[in-house]
Amino acid sequence: MTFEPPAVPLEAARAAFLEACALDVSTPKPGNVSAQSPGHGMNAAQFLASADASADALFARGARVGQRIFDAVTRTRAAAGCNTNLGIVLLVAPLAAALDEIGAMDATRATTLTATSWRAAVTQVLAKLDVDDARLAYRAIALANPGGLGDAPEQSVHAAPTIGLRDAMQLAAERDSIARQYANGFADIFDTGLAAFAQAPADAPQAAMLNVFLAFLAGWPDSHIVRKHGLALAQSVTLAAREQHARWRATAREAARRALADPQLDTWDTELKARAINPGTSADLAVVTLFVARVLANAGQPRAATPHG
């Protein structure tokens, strides 16, 4: 049997998405819903159902970004009955479309996907987003009803957009970390996120998820907390996250798996949930980082050559 360099595998990417979403709820993260700790009126089963419901829409071959977003949110709403994954959907849709385009551009020969080539393809996808993508995304956001996301002086999601989706996201980039990825070409995912992922042991995926989450939460105020509770409280959570992250990393270097059962993180989780504080945006960024990391890792594996004749 001969082997070729791996192509861009859309089905493998779909599987990586589902794996990252499952890892999200199997990893206890302070303030977030997990299998061990429900909260904010939601449980892990709803997040898993949302991932299953949205996957086909996000990885639909040839679909425009706005359509992927709208279909994924519509199916999520039907499956979970609430907004469980809007941020994840908004982030994965352009990434999936970029994989789609890479595959279409190189249909005759297999190529190795890299962070650089994927990032470049994402930039091209973002540049082509138009007002139709914005209309579909706005409908999805209104359906998800995240609370606060559409309260903007310009291009509110409660009115029909008059500019392309990336331009609309750029208007919100300073106040929303999901929107910022559209403005900066997913720099936070490919830079901050993947760097934090690389710090964790390769055989400890939960430690990687937690490290990425804490890196984002410690890096800047969580957008979801800002919208719900204001900037001052969000900044206080960021400062606490920096202390917790530094302490956890020191422990994790000795025993990554044991460090996940951390009484201090558990206590912080209880305190945050008691105050209805949910670092949801940091969790969304972490999930998408793990998705990207898994796709890139899979792309580095050889695949059997397709028989000819």
Side-chain angles (χ1 to χ4, degrees), residues 5-8 98-113 303:
V8 179
L99 289 177
D100 213 356
E101 291 209 357
I102 291 172
M105 287 187 296
D106 196 28
T108 59
R109 65 182 182 88
T111 58
T112 302
L113 179 71
R303 64 183 178 91

Side-chain angles (χ1 to χ4, degrees), residues 177 213-223 225-226 230-246 268 272 277 279 282:
S177 297
F213 167 76
L214 290 172
F216 281 127
L217 187 56
W220 53 80
D222 184 280
S223 300
I225 299 176
V226 173
L231 180 59
L233 190 146
Q235 289 173 328
S236 72
V237 173
T238 295
L239 291 175
R242 289 174 185 168
E243 296 177 3
Q244 294 281 4
H245 192 201
W268 193 31
L272 290 172
I277 299 173
S282 298

